[in-house]
Amino acid sequence: EAGVTQFPSHSVIEKGQTVTLRCDPISGHDNLYWYRRVMGKEIKFLLHFVKESKQDESGMPNNRFLAERTGGTYSTLKVQPAELEDSGVYFCASSQLLRAPYSGANVLTFGAGSRLTVL
Amino acid sequence: AQSVTQPDIHITVSEGASLELRCNYSYGATPYLFWYVQSPGQGLQLLLKYFSGDTLVQGIKGFEAEFKRSQSSFNLRKPSVHWSDAAEYFCAVGEWDGNEKLTFGTGTRLTIIP
């Protein structure tokens, strides 16, 4: 089974430019998550899709970040305009949608990440 | 709010030596706990997880972790490390309501010396 795929693996842009990151989850996984790791810090939750709907976007830092998941398959995360503090590694993860009665917590499968460098 | 502390930013051990990576968490209810590993150029790979039951959990690559509720800890151990274990290790706690999101620690980078 193919894993979670992220593109690009590394992007270098200048402050003020726009970047779009893409994530292809495992086929059939309705849950899709975006996380971010800023240099030396912890990996932080950004948002969670269930199919095409945003379930939780409490971790999105500001309105320069826009995530979409049209059709409930792949997702994009756009940063516009990019700032220096947006540099970091952006991880995507997916999991199956659990239904009640729940027998335990789910497990996320992560992609390799997209490294963003803003100069 | 939940939090995870990994007090060791960087650990160096000799190949063949034993390893223990520390993880402490803060969570109001019964936690779901995970250890992930990231090797260079790779994604985050799940090493092991604790949901309930036996507090000693076995994972892949010869790793194990022990959940100690009284100490709010979930330390990762391996009796004998291999050069291929050099990577960054992340402890995480799950907030589970049917579909989880994770709170991670800052990670511990492991270097193996011959």
Side-chain angles (χ1 to χ4, degrees):
Chain A
E1 149 183 280
V4 177
T5 304
Q6 293 188 243
F7 181 84
S9 58
H10 192 188
S11 180
V12 181
I13 61 173
E14 293 190 350
K15 176 182 173 181
Q17 290 186 320
T18 298
V19 63
T20 299
L21 310 178
R22 173 171 169 144
C23 169
D24 287 79
I26 292 173
S27 178
H29 280 192
D30 288 333
N31 286 318
L32 188 148
Y33 299 79
W34 283 98
Y35 286 79
R36 176 175 75 167
R37 188 186 190 201
V38 172
M39 178 80 74
K41 305 278 185 144
E42 67 271 29
I43 301 168
K44 281 195 171 180
F45 167 83
L46 294 179
L47 87 160
H48 169 208
F49 283 99
V50 177
K51 297 184 181 179
E52 67 276 7
S53 299
K54 291 176 185 175
Q55 185 79 6
D56 181 352
E57 51 184 328
S58 61
M60 294 288 266
N62 52 61
N63 59 11
R64 295 185 293 103
F65 289 76
L66 175 64
E68 295 180 321
R69 194 183 182 194
T70 307
T73 54
Y74 72 92
S75 174
T76 58
L77 180 64
K78 180 190 286 188
V79 185
Q80 178 183 31
E83 298 289 343
L84 298 179
E85 64 265 24
D86 300 332
S87 295
V89 180
Y90 291 76
F91 291 100
C92 177
S94 70
S95 66
Q96 293 181 319
L97 186 66
L98 295 182
R99 300 193 187 281
Y102 305 120
S103 60
N106 215 344
V107 174
L108 301 185
T109 300
F110 282 83
S114 290
R115 180 176 296 277
L116 173 63
T117 302
V118 182
L119 303 176
Chain B
Q2 58 198 28
S3 65
V4 176
T5 301
Q6 292 181 250
D8 303 306
I9 296 173
H10 187 194
I11 285 183
T12 300
V13 299
S14 299
E15 189 168 15
S18 64
L19 172 70
E20 181 169 28
L21 302 183
R22 296 182 290 165
C23 172
N24 291 92
Y25 68 89
S26 172
Y27 189 65
T30 300
Y32 295 93
L33 296 159
F34 305 82
W35 275 98
Y36 282 86
V37 60
Q38 186 181 24
S39 299
Q42 305 295 312
L44 289 166
Q45 181 183 21
L46 180 68
L47 280 178
L48 47 79
K49 59 188 183 291
Y50 171 78
F51 291 167
S52 64
D54 192 347
T55 56
L56 184 62
V57 180
Q58 301 298 321
I60 62 171
K61 303 184 180 186
F63 284 93
E64 67 177 25
E66 186 171 12
F67 170 56
K68 293 185 177 179
R69 184 187 299 275
S70 62
Q71 298 176 21
S72 297
S73 69
F74 190 57
N75 295 348
L76 181 71
R77 300 193 295 250
K78 186 169 184 178
S80 176
V81 297
H82 186 262
W83 63 266
S84 60
D85 293 325
E88 193 156 19
Y89 293 78
F90 296 91
C91 181
V93 61
E95 175 183 319
W96 187 72
D97 60 357
N99 294 289
E100 77 296 338
K101 69 181 183 184
L102 301 179
T103 297
F104 284 88
T106 50
T108 298
R109 180 167 298 281
L110 176 64
T111 297
I112 309 294
I113 55 176

